[in-house]
Amino acid sequence: MSAPPSLAAPDDAGSWTWQMRHRIRSAEDLARYVDPIEDEVRAIEALGERFHFVITPYYAGLMDPVDPECPIRRQVVPRSVEAADPAGLADPLDEVAHSPVKNVIRVYPDRIAFCVNNECALYCRFCLRKRMVGEPEWAMKKRELALALDWIRRTPEIRDVLLTGGDPLVFSDERLDWLLGELRAIPHVEIVRLGTRLPVTLPQRITEDLCRMLERHHPLWVNTHFNHPKELTAEAALACDRLTRAGIPVGNQSVLMRGINDDVATMKALCEGLVRMRVRPYYCYQAQLLEGTAHFRVPIEEGIALFRAMRGRTSGFAIPLYVLDTPYGKVPLTHPYVRGRDGDHVEVESFDGRTWRELNPSR
Ligand code: SF4
């Protein structure tokens, strides 16, 4: 990858505020970047209201203008196939039932997902929180944020807070600084994580000023969401570099999606490209049983085979853990490398299918 350029000054296309102001919201806007096919135009009209159709100019610039199957295009442009998903659910993880207070989701005893913002820079067709992102009723007023912060203060088991949404980095630096300061002041909150797709969809947001502010709130971790090697641009590399230089470990959580990243060559290129950017591939999620996403789902056996094929053929830390998220928490989906105990030995399978017998201590 070539050296990243410096991001341009505010008030031009290189500033994140310009990008936010000039987002694509209609088929006519989209036609400035690609030749939309009839199905896309019809789906934008029919489905763009059901789940918001909004794209940043930067991300639209990554689309193939003539190929409707472009993996960037398919992530954000509606298609009529979304309407045909009888099994899809609005809230497959039952997050509402796990909320002790508005927009706080608690599945595990010691950590929470705190959906501080209902807004994103763009809206992904596979979004797990389709039911709430972009919807005004899920916005958090300052009074509601204060109520959630109060709940965290009164719940001493919570040691790890994930700020998510929507996207917390769509907040202004000032609002985020205030929120992080409130969380840091709670003695039992040991770490704060930011879940953000902006290094992928709006890397201009990762400014030097933002990183200087974030540095004041360590220990902070960031998890971002690259799905395809085409997203690994010079701008995205610069955004991740700024975060890591600010001392923030950056991990990636992708979603396994049919026709986007469900082949070994693409997933390997994605993960190796992330590692070159010092971003650790952390999780790859099985696509949830989420409304309007049947066309993205891959059989779990195929996902397991894909990650098994990567084992031994790239650096171990370039292989994310393939997981299924459930209302009971995340479940690792892995090939059974341990075949079982045989007397004093355990039999295991190597990456290339050979059997190894290891003397196994017994208690
Ligand atoms: S950026 Fe994340 S939260 Fe926002 S629409 Fe995409 S997947 Fe959903």
Side-chain angles (χ1 to χ4, degrees):
M1 187 176 295
S2 56
S6 59
L7 298 181
D11 299 327
D12 65 15
S15 85
W16 75 279
T17 47
W18 184 95
Q19 290 277 329
M20 289 293 279
R21 281 198 307 276
H22 293 84
R23 287 183 292 174
I24 293 146
R25 295 173 181 277
S26 66
E28 296 78 60
D29 293 348
L30 182 67
R32 294 205 302 272
Y33 294 84
V34 303
D35 293 330
I37 57 170
E38 213 183 303
D39 187 67
E40 288 172 318
V41 174
R42 265 191 281 116
I44 289 169
E45 279 161 18
L47 301 164
E49 278 301 300
R50 208 156 116 196
F51 180 59
H52 302 272
F53 171 67
V54 178
I55 311 174
T56 56
Y58 163 80
Y59 199 72
L62 305 184
M63 293 177 180
D64 186 311
V66 293
D67 180 10
E69 299 312 311
C70 161
I72 303 296
R73 212 157 139 173
R74 287 193 56 222
Q75 290 186 55
V76 288
V77 178
R79 297 291 286 271
S80 53
V81 71
E82 285 180 26
D85 183 9
L89 305 169
D91 182 11
L93 298 183
D94 217 5
E95 292 190 325
V96 172
H98 286 89
S99 295
V101 59
K102 183 179 174 184
N103 287 10
V104 169
I105 302 157
R106 187 186 195 187
V107 176
Y108 305 99
D110 67 333
R111 52 204 187 274
I112 52 165
F114 183 5
C115 300
V116 291
N117 189 8
N118 65 328
E119 303 263 341
C120 293
L122 53 66
Y123 294 99
C124 312
R125 305 314 297 175
F126 53 85
C127 179
L128 172 66
R129 303 222 170 91
K130 269 183 176 184
R131 66 189 162 82
M132 63 183 289
V133 292
E135 298 299 329
E137 67 181 285
W138 292 101
M140 288 291 269
K141 299 185 181 79
K142 203 159 179 178
R143 179 178 51 80
E144 291 169 323
L145 284 173
L147 281 176
L149 286 165
D150 262 353
W151 181 87
I152 299 169
R153 276 185 210 104
R154 287 185 281 106
T155 313
E157 304 86 46
I158 302 303
R159 44 164 284 282
D160 176 348
V161 175
L162 166 66
L163 298 185
T164 180
D167 203 307
L169 292 191
V170 172
F171 275 173
S172 67
D173 289 4
E174 293 70 27
R175 193 170 173 87
L176 199 54
D177 191 24
W178 167 80
L179 182 60
L180 290 169
E182 292 292 307
L183 286 166
R184 286 267 61 102
I186 302 174
H188 55 266
V189 174
E190 295 172 13
I191 59 165
V192 177
R193 293 187 276 168
L194 295 161
T196 174
R197 209 172 179 218
L198 295 197
V200 186
T201 59
L202 182 61
Q204 296 81 358
R205 173 66 185 102
I206 314 301
T207 62
E208 300 276 15
D209 283 350
L210 172 73
C211 292
R212 264 194 297 275
M213 181 276 285
L214 294 177
E215 261 182 300
R216 293 199 298 271
H217 297 285
H218 274 312
L220 271 188
W221 293 63
V222 162
N223 269 324
T224 187
H225 183 164
F226 290 89
N227 282 325
H228 191 275
K230 274 185 85 171
E231 295 168 337
L232 305 176
T233 63
E235 290 89 342
L238 177 58
C240 294
D241 187 60
R242 283 182 173 166
L243 291 167
T244 49
R245 279 174 196 274
I248 302 170
V250 182
N252 189 66
Q253 306 190 157
S254 50
V255 178
L256 186 66
M257 284 182 283
R258 181 184 299 283
I260 291 182
N261 55 15
D262 65 332
D263 65 282
V264 177
T266 303
M267 186 58 77
K268 194 165 174 287
L270 170 66
C271 294
E272 291 176 348
L274 287 167
V275 169
R276 284 198 297 278
M277 285 166 39
R278 289 186 289 151
V279 175
R280 165 77 155 98
Y282 174 43
Y283 284 139
C284 181
Y285 286 96
Q286 170 67 12
Q288 300 292 155
L289 211 61
L290 178 82
E291 59 186 344
T293 63
H295 57 301
F296 285 132
R297 284 177 227 138
V298 175
I300 287 175
E301 298 85 347
E302 287 182 22
I304 290 173
L306 187 158
F307 289 102
R308 184 186 177 202
M310 282 175 66
R311 178 81 38 208
R313 293 173 179 88
T314 190
S315 322
F317 58 83
I319 307 175
L321 185 64
Y322 177 41
V323 291
L324 173 70
D325 214 350
T326 77
Y328 304 155
K330 292 180 190 67
V331 178
L333 303 171
T334 56
H335 175 75
Y337 290 98
V338 178
R339 289 181 179 158
R341 183 181 272 274
D342 179 12
D344 290 344
H345 288 75
V346 70
E347 266 190 17
V348 295
E349 183 183 311
S350 70
F351 76 91
D352 53 0
R354 288 180 288 172
T355 301
W356 174 255
R357 284 164 56 81
E358 179 82 9
L359 188 63
N360 189 23
S362 45
R363 291 212 174 266

CSV table of all heavy atoms in Angstrom, one decimal, residues 94-141:
chain,number,residue,atom,x,y,z
A,94,ASP,N,-32.2,-10.1,21.0
A,94,ASP,CA,-33.1,-9.8,22.1
A,94,ASP,C,-32.5,-8.7,23.0
A,94,ASP,O,-32.5,-8.8,24.2
A,94,ASP,CB,-33.3,-11.0,22.9
A,94,ASP,CG,-34.8,-11.1,23.4
A,94,ASP,OD1,-35.6,-10.3,23.1
A,94,ASP,OD2,-35.0,-12.0,24.2
A,95,GLU,N,-32.0,-7.7,22.3
A,95,GLU,CA,-31.2,-6.6,23.0
A,95,GLU,C,-32.1,-5.8,23.9
A,95,GLU,O,-31.8,-5.4,25.0
A,95,GLU,CB,-30.4,-5.7,22.1
A,95,GLU,CG,-29.3,-6.5,21.4
A,95,GLU,CD,-28.4,-5.6,20.6
A,95,GLU,OE1,-28.8,-4.6,20.0
A,95,GLU,OE2,-27.2,-5.9,20.6
A,96,VAL,N,-33.4,-5.6,23.4
A,96,VAL,CA,-34.3,-4.7,24.2
A,96,VAL,C,-34.5,-5.4,25.6
A,96,VAL,O,-34.5,-4.7,26.6
A,96,VAL,CB,-35.6,-4.5,23.4
A,96,VAL,CG1,-36.7,-3.8,24.3
A,96,VAL,CG2,-35.4,-3.7,22.2
A,97,ALA,N,-34.7,-6.7,25.6
A,97,ALA,CA,-35.0,-7.5,26.8
A,97,ALA,C,-33.7,-7.4,27.8
A,97,ALA,O,-33.9,-7.7,28.9
A,97,ALA,CB,-35.3,-8.9,26.5
A,98,HIS,N,-32.6,-7.1,27.2
A,98,HIS,CA,-31.3,-7.1,28.0
A,98,HIS,C,-31.0,-5.7,28.4
A,98,HIS,O,-29.8,-5.4,28.8
A,98,HIS,CB,-30.2,-7.7,27.2
A,98,HIS,CG,-30.2,-9.2,27.1
A,98,HIS,ND1,-30.9,-9.9,26.1
A,98,HIS,CD2,-29.7,-10.2,27.9
A,98,HIS,CE1,-30.7,-11.2,26.2
A,98,HIS,NE2,-30.1,-11.4,27.4
A,99,SER,N,-31.9,-4.8,28.4
A,99,SER,CA,-31.6,-3.4,28.7
A,99,SER,C,-32.2,-2.9,30.0
A,99,SER,O,-33.4,-2.7,30.2
A,99,SER,CB,-32.2,-2.4,27.6
A,99,SER,OG,-31.5,-2.7,26.3
A,100,PRO,N,-31.3,-2.7,31.0
A,100,PRO,CA,-31.8,-2.3,32.3
A,100,PRO,C,-32.2,-0.8,32.3
A,100,PRO,O,-33.0,-0.4,33.1
A,100,PRO,CB,-30.6,-2.5,33.2
A,100,PRO,CG,-29.4,-2.5,32.3
A,100,PRO,CD,-29.8,-3.0,31.0
A,101,VAL,N,-31.6,-0.1,31.3
A,101,VAL,CA,-32.0,1.3,31.2
A,101,VAL,C,-31.8,1.6,29.7
A,101,VAL,O,-31.1,0.9,29.0
A,101,VAL,CB,-31.1,2.2,32.1
A,101,VAL,CG1,-29.6,2.0,31.8
A,101,VAL,CG2,-31.4,3.7,32.0
A,102,LYS,N,-32.4,2.7,29.2
A,102,LYS,CA,-32.5,2.9,27.7
A,102,LYS,C,-31.1,2.8,27.1
A,102,LYS,O,-30.1,3.5,27.5
A,102,LYS,CB,-33.1,4.3,27.4
A,102,LYS,CG,-33.2,4.6,25.9
A,102,LYS,CD,-33.8,5.9,25.6
A,102,LYS,CE,-33.8,6.2,24.1
A,102,LYS,NZ,-34.3,7.5,23.8
A,103,ASN,N,-30.9,2.0,26.0
A,103,ASN,CA,-29.7,1.9,25.2
A,103,ASN,C,-28.5,1.3,25.9
A,103,ASN,O,-27.4,1.4,25.4
A,103,ASN,CB,-29.4,3.3,24.6
A,103,ASN,CG,-30.3,3.6,23.5
A,103,ASN,OD1,-31.3,3.0,23.3
A,103,ASN,ND2,-30.0,4.7,22.7
A,104,VAL,N,-28.7,0.7,27.1
A,104,VAL,CA,-27.6,0.0,27.8
A,104,VAL,C,-28.0,-1.5,27.6
A,104,VAL,O,-29.0,-1.9,28.0
A,104,VAL,CB,-27.5,0.3,29.2
A,104,VAL,CG1,-26.6,-0.6,30.0
A,104,VAL,CG2,-26.9,1.8,29.4
A,105,ILE,N,-27.1,-2.3,27.0
A,105,ILE,CA,-27.4,-3.7,26.8
A,105,ILE,C,-26.4,-4.5,27.6
A,105,ILE,O,-25.2,-4.4,27.5
A,105,ILE,CB,-27.2,-4.1,25.3
A,105,ILE,CG1,-28.1,-3.2,24.4
A,105,ILE,CG2,-27.4,-5.6,25.1
A,105,ILE,CD1,-27.7,-3.1,23.0
A,106,ARG,N,-27.0,-5.3,28.5
A,106,ARG,CA,-26.1,-6.1,29.4
A,106,ARG,C,-26.4,-7.6,29.2
A,106,ARG,O,-27.5,-8.1,29.6
A,106,ARG,CB,-26.4,-5.7,30.9
A,106,ARG,CG,-25.4,-6.4,31.8
A,106,ARG,CD,-25.8,-6.1,33.2
A,106,ARG,NE,-24.7,-6.4,34.2
A,106,ARG,CZ,-24.9,-6.4,35.5
A,106,ARG,NH1,-26.1,-6.1,36.0
A,106,ARG,NH2,-23.9,-6.7,36.3
A,107,VAL,N,-25.4,-8.3,28.6
A,107,VAL,CA,-25.5,-9.8,28.4
A,107,VAL,C,-24.6,-10.5,29.4
A,107,VAL,O,-24.9,-11.5,29.9
A,107,VAL,CB,-25.2,-10.1,27.0
A,107,VAL,CG1,-25.2,-11.7,26.7
A,107,VAL,CG2,-26.1,-9.5,26.0
A,108,TYR,N,-23.5,-9.9,29.7
A,108,TYR,CA,-22.4,-10.4,30.6
A,108,TYR,C,-22.5,-9.7,31.9
A,108,TYR,O,-22.8,-8.5,31.9
A,108,TYR,CB,-21.1,-10.3,29.9
A,108,TYR,CG,-21.0,-11.0,28.6
A,108,TYR,CD1,-21.0,-10.2,27.4
A,108,TYR,CD2,-20.8,-12.3,28.4
A,108,TYR,CE1,-20.9,-10.7,26.1
A,108,TYR,CE2,-20.7,-12.9,27.1
A,108,TYR,CZ,-20.8,-12.1,26.0
A,108,TYR,OH,-20.7,-12.7,24.8
A,109,PRO,N,-22.0,-10.3,33.0
A,109,PRO,CA,-22.1,-9.6,34.3
A,109,PRO,C,-21.2,-8.4,34.3
A,109,PRO,O,-21.5,-7.4,35.0
A,109,PRO,CB,-21.6,-10.7,35.3
A,109,PRO,CG,-21.4,-11.9,34.6
A,109,PRO,CD,-21.5,-11.7,33.1
A,110,ASP,N,-20.0,-8.4,33.7
A,110,ASP,CA,-19.0,-7.3,33.9
A,110,ASP,C,-18.9,-6.3,32.8
A,110,ASP,O,-18.1,-5.4,32.9
A,110,ASP,CB,-17.6,-8.0,34.2
A,110,ASP,CG,-17.1,-8.6,32.9
A,110,ASP,OD1,-17.9,-9.1,32.1
A,110,ASP,OD2,-15.9,-8.7,32.8
A,111,ARG,N,-19.7,-6.4,31.8
A,111,ARG,CA,-19.5,-5.4,30.7
A,111,ARG,C,-20.8,-5.1,30.0
A,111,ARG,O,-21.7,-6.0,30.0
A,111,ARG,CB,-18.5,-5.9,29.7
A,111,ARG,CG,-18.7,-7.3,29.1
A,111,ARG,CD,-17.3,-7.8,28.6
A,111,ARG,NE,-17.4,-9.1,27.9
A,111,ARG,CZ,-17.4,-10.3,28.6
A,111,ARG,NH1,-17.4,-10.3,29.9
A,111,ARG,NH2,-17.5,-11.4,27.9
A,112,ILE,N,-20.9,-4.0,29.4
A,112,ILE,CA,-22.1,-3.5,28.7
A,112,ILE,C,-21.8,-2.9,27.3
A,112,ILE,O,-20.7,-2.4,27.1
A,112,ILE,CB,-22.9,-2.5,29.5
A,112,ILE,CG1,-21.9,-1.3,29.9
A,112,ILE,CG2,-23.5,-3.1,30.8
A,112,ILE,CD1,-22.7,-0.1,30.4
A,113,ALA,N,-22.8,-3.0,26.5
A,113,ALA,CA,-22.7,-2.2,25.3
A,113,ALA,C,-23.6,-1.0,25.5
A,113,ALA,O,-24.8,-1.2,26.0
A,113,ALA,CB,-23.3,-3.0,24.1
A,114,PHE,N,-23.1,0.2,25.3
A,114,PHE,CA,-23.8,1.4,25.7
A,114,PHE,C,-24.1,2.2,24.3
A,114,PHE,O,-23.1,2.7,23.8
A,114,PHE,CB,-23.0,2.2,26.7
A,114,PHE,CG,-23.5,3.5,27.2
A,114,PHE,CD1,-24.8,3.9,26.9
A,114,PHE,CD2,-22.8,4.3,28.0
A,114,PHE,CE1,-25.4,5.1,27.4
A,114,PHE,CE2,-23.3,5.5,28.5
A,114,PHE,CZ,-24.6,5.9,28.2
A,115,CYS,N,-25.3,2.1,23.8
A,115,CYS,CA,-25.6,2.7,22.5
A,115,CYS,C,-25.8,4.2,22.7
A,115,CYS,O,-27.0,4.7,22.8
A,115,CYS,CB,-26.8,2.0,21.9
A,115,CYS,SG,-26.6,0.3,21.7
A,116,VAL,N,-24.7,5.0,22.7
A,116,VAL,CA,-24.8,6.4,23.0
A,116,VAL,C,-25.4,7.2,21.9
A,116,VAL,O,-25.8,8.3,22.2
A,116,VAL,CB,-23.4,6.9,23.5
A,116,VAL,CG1,-23.0,6.3,24.8
A,116,VAL,CG2,-22.3,6.6,22.4
A,117,ASN,N,-25.3,6.7,20.7
A,117,ASN,CA,-25.7,7.5,19.6
A,117,ASN,C,-26.5,6.7,18.6
A,117,ASN,O,-26.1,5.6,18.3
A,117,ASN,CB,-24.4,8.1,18.9
A,117,ASN,CG,-24.7,9.1,17.8
A,117,ASN,OD1,-25.8,9.6,17.7
A,117,ASN,ND2,-23.7,9.5,17.1
A,118,ASN,N,-27.6,7.2,18.1
A,118,ASN,CA,-28.4,6.5,17.1
A,118,ASN,C,-27.9,6.8,15.7
A,118,ASN,O,-28.5,6.2,14.7
A,118,ASN,CB,-29.9,6.8,17.3
A,118,ASN,CG,-30.1,8.2,16.9
A,118,ASN,OD1,-29.3,9.1,17.1
A,118,ASN,ND2,-31.3,8.5,16.4
A,119,GLU,N,-26.9,7.6,15.5
A,119,GLU,CA,-26.6,8.1,14.1
A,119,GLU,C,-25.3,7.4,13.7
A,119,GLU,O,-24.4,7.1,14.5
A,119,GLU,CB,-26.3,9.6,14.1
A,119,GLU,CG,-27.4,10.4,14.6
A,119,GLU,CD,-28.2,11.0,13.4
A,119,GLU,OE1,-27.6,11.0,12.3
A,119,GLU,OE2,-29.3,11.4,13.7
A,120,CYS,N,-25.2,7.1,12.3
A,120,CYS,CA,-24.0,6.7,11.7
A,120,CYS,C,-23.6,7.6,10.6
A,120,CYS,O,-24.5,8.3,10.1
A,120,CYS,CB,-24.1,5.2,11.2
A,120,CYS,SG,-24.4,4.0,12.5
A,121,ALA,N,-22.4,7.5,10.0
A,121,ALA,CA,-22.1,8.3,8.9
A,121,ALA,C,-22.8,7.8,7.6
A,121,ALA,O,-23.2,8.5,6.8
A,121,ALA,CB,-20.6,8.2,8.6
A,122,LEU,N,-23.0,6.4,7.6
A,122,LEU,CA,-23.8,5.8,6.5
A,122,LEU,C,-24.5,4.6,7.2
A,122,LEU,O,-24.2,4.3,8.3
A,122,LEU,CB,-22.9,5.4,5.3
A,122,LEU,CG,-21.7,4.5,5.6
A,122,LEU,CD1,-22.0,3.1,6.1
A,122,LEU,CD2,-20.9,4.4,4.3
A,123,TYR,N,-25.4,4.0,6.4
A,123,TYR,CA,-26.2,2.9,7.0
A,123,TYR,C,-25.9,1.6,6.2
A,123,TYR,O,-26.1,1.6,4.9
A,123,TYR,CB,-27.6,3.3,7.1
A,123,TYR,CG,-27.8,4.4,8.1
A,123,TYR,CD1,-27.9,5.7,7.7
A,123,TYR,CD2,-27.7,4.1,9.5
A,123,TYR,CE1,-28.0,6.7,8.6
A,123,TYR,CE2,-27.8,5.1,10.4
A,123,TYR,CZ,-27.9,6.4,10.0
A,123,TYR,OH,-28.0,7.5,10.9
A,124,CYS,N,-25.5,0.6,6.9
A,124,CYS,CA,-25.1,-0.7,6.2
A,124,CYS,C,-26.4,-1.6,6.1
A,124,CYS,O,-27.1,-1.7,7.1
A,124,CYS,CB,-24.0,-1.4,7.0
A,124,CYS,SG,-22.7,-0.3,7.5
A,125,ARG,N,-26.6,-2.2,5.0
A,125,ARG,CA,-27.8,-3.0,4.8
A,125,ARG,C,-27.9,-4.2,5.7
A,125,ARG,O,-28.9,-4.7,6.0
A,125,ARG,CB,-27.9,-3.5,3.3
A,125,ARG,CG,-27.8,-2.4,2.3
A,125,ARG,CD,-28.6,-1.2,2.5
A,125,ARG,NE,-30.0,-1.4,2.5
A,125,ARG,CZ,-30.9,-0.5,2.8
A,125,ARG,NH1,-30.5,0.8,3.1
A,125,ARG,NH2,-32.2,-0.7,2.8
A,126,PHE,N,-26.7,-4.6,6.3
A,126,PHE,CA,-26.7,-5.8,7.2
A,126,PHE,C,-26.6,-5.4,8.6
A,126,PHE,O,-26.4,-6.3,9.5
A,126,PHE,CB,-25.4,-6.6,6.8
A,126,PHE,CG,-24.2,-5.8,6.9
A,126,PHE,CD1,-23.5,-5.6,8.1
A,126,PHE,CD2,-23.7,-5.2,5.8
A,126,PHE,CE1,-22.4,-4.8,8.2
A,126,PHE,CE2,-22.5,-4.4,5.8
A,126,PHE,CZ,-21.9,-4.2,7.0
A,127,CYS,N,-26.9,-4.1,9.0
A,127,CYS,CA,-26.7,-3.7,10.3
A,127,CYS,C,-27.5,-4.4,11.4
A,127,CYS,O,-28.8,-4.5,11.2
A,127,CYS,CB,-27.0,-2.2,10.4
A,127,CYS,SG,-26.8,-1.6,12.1
A,128,LEU,N,-26.9,-4.9,12.4
A,128,LEU,CA,-27.6,-5.6,13.5
A,128,LEU,C,-28.6,-4.7,14.2
A,128,LEU,O,-29.6,-5.2,14.7
A,128,LEU,CB,-26.5,-6.1,14.5
A,128,LEU,CG,-27.0,-6.7,15.8
A,128,LEU,CD1,-27.7,-8.0,15.5
A,128,LEU,CD2,-25.9,-6.9,16.8
A,129,ARG,N,-28.3,-3.4,14.2
A,129,ARG,CA,-29.2,-2.5,14.9
A,129,ARG,C,-30.1,-1.7,14.0
A,129,ARG,O,-30.4,-0.5,14.3
A,129,ARG,CB,-28.4,-1.6,15.9
A,129,ARG,CG,-27.5,-2.4,16.8
A,129,ARG,CD,-27.5,-1.8,18.3
A,129,ARG,NE,-26.9,-2.7,19.1
A,129,ARG,CZ,-25.6,-2.8,19.4
A,129,ARG,NH1,-24.8,-1.9,18.9
A,129,ARG,NH2,-25.1,-3.7,20.2
A,130,LYS,N,-30.4,-2.3,12.9
A,130,LYS,CA,-31.4,-1.7,11.9
A,130,LYS,C,-32.6,-1.0,12.6
A,130,LYS,O,-33.1,0.0,12.2
A,130,LYS,CB,-31.9,-2.7,11.0
A,130,LYS,CG,-31.1,-2.9,9.7
A,130,LYS,CD,-31.9,-4.0,8.9
A,130,LYS,CE,-31.1,-4.1,7.6
A,130,LYS,NZ,-31.8,-5.0,6.7
A,131,ARG,N,-33.1,-1.7,13.6
A,131,ARG,CA,-34.3,-1.3,14.3
A,131,ARG,C,-34.1,0.1,14.9
A,131,ARG,O,-35.1,0.8,15.2
A,131,ARG,CB,-34.7,-2.3,15.3
A,131,ARG,CG,-33.7,-2.4,16.5
A,131,ARG,CD,-34.0,-3.6,17.4
A,131,ARG,NE,-32.8,-3.8,18.2
A,131,ARG,CZ,-32.4,-3.1,19.3
A,131,ARG,NH1,-33.2,-2.2,19.7
A,131,ARG,NH2,-31.3,-3.4,19.9
A,132,MET,N,-32.9,0.5,15.2
A,132,MET,CA,-32.7,1.7,16.0
A,132,MET,C,-31.8,2.8,15.3
A,132,MET,O,-32.0,4.0,15.5
A,132,MET,CB,-32.1,1.4,17.4
A,132,MET,CG,-30.8,0.8,17.4
A,132,MET,SD,-30.3,0.4,19.1
A,132,MET,CE,-29.9,2.0,19.8
A,133,VAL,N,-30.8,2.4,14.5
A,133,VAL,CA,-30.0,3.4,13.9
A,133,VAL,C,-30.7,4.3,13.0
A,133,VAL,O,-31.5,3.9,12.2
A,133,VAL,CB,-28.7,2.8,13.3
A,133,VAL,CG1,-27.8,2.2,14.3
A,133,VAL,CG2,-29.0,1.9,12.1
A,134,GLY,N,-30.5,5.6,13.1
A,134,GLY,CA,-31.1,6.6,12.3
A,134,GLY,C,-32.5,6.9,12.7
A,134,GLY,O,-33.2,7.8,12.1
A,135,GLU,N,-33.0,6.2,13.8
A,135,GLU,CA,-34.4,6.4,14.3
A,135,GLU,C,-34.4,7.4,15.4
A,135,GLU,O,-33.8,7.1,16.5
A,135,GLU,CB,-35.0,5.1,14.7
A,135,GLU,CG,-35.1,4.0,13.6
A,135,GLU,CD,-36.1,4.5,12.5
A,135,GLU,OE1,-37.0,5.3,12.7
A,135,GLU,OE2,-35.8,4.1,11.3
A,136,PRO,N,-35.1,8.5,15.3
A,136,PRO,CA,-35.1,9.6,16.3
A,136,PRO,C,-35.4,9.0,17.7
A,136,PRO,O,-34.9,9.5,18.7
A,136,PRO,CB,-36.1,10.6,15.9
A,136,PRO,CG,-36.3,10.3,14.4
A,136,PRO,CD,-36.0,8.9,14.2
A,137,GLU,N,-36.3,8.1,17.8
A,137,GLU,CA,-36.8,7.6,19.2
A,137,GLU,C,-35.6,7.0,20.0
A,137,GLU,O,-35.7,6.8,21.2
A,137,GLU,CB,-37.9,6.6,19.1
A,137,GLU,CG,-37.5,5.3,18.4
A,137,GLU,CD,-38.7,4.3,18.3
A,137,GLU,OE1,-39.1,3.7,19.3
A,137,GLU,OE2,-39.1,4.2,17.2
A,138,TRP,N,-34.5,6.6,19.2
A,138,TRP,CA,-33.4,5.9,19.9
A,138,TRP,C,-32.3,6.9,20.2
A,138,TRP,O,-31.2,6.5,20.7
A,138,TRP,CB,-32.9,4.7,19.1
A,138,TRP,CG,-33.9,3.6,19.1
A,138,TRP,CD1,-34.7,3.3,18.1
A,138,TRP,CD2,-34.2,2.7,20.1
A,138,TRP,NE1,-35.5,2.2,18.4
A,138,TRP,CE2,-35.2,1.8,19.6
A,138,TRP,CE3,-33.6,2.4,21.4
A,138,TRP,CZ2,-35.7,0.8,20.4
A,138,TRP,CZ3,-34.1,1.4,22.1
A,138,TRP,CH2,-35.1,0.6,21.6
A,139,ALA,N,-32.5,8.2,19.8
A,139,ALA,CA,-31.4,9.2,20.1
A,139,ALA,C,-31.3,9.3,21.7
A,139,ALA,O,-32.3,9.1,22.4
A,139,ALA,CB,-31.8,10.5,19.5
A,140,MET,N,-30.1,9.6,22.1
A,140,MET,CA,-29.9,9.8,23.6
A,140,MET,C,-29.8,11.3,23.9
A,140,MET,O,-28.8,11.9,23.5
A,140,MET,CB,-28.7,9.0,24.0
A,140,MET,CG,-28.8,7.5,24.1
A,140,MET,SD,-29.9,6.9,25.3
A,140,MET,CE,-28.8,6.7,26.7
A,141,LYS,N,-30.8,11.8,24.6
A,141,LYS,CA,-30.7,13.2,25.0
A,141,LYS,C,-29.7,13.2,26.2
A,141,LYS,O,-29.5,12.2,26.8
A,141,LYS,CB,-32.1,13.7,25.5
A,141,LYS,CG,-33.1,13.7,24.4
A,141,LYS,CD,-34.4,14.3,24.8
A,141,LYS,CE,-35.5,14.3,23.7
A,141,LYS,NZ,-36.1,13.0,23.6
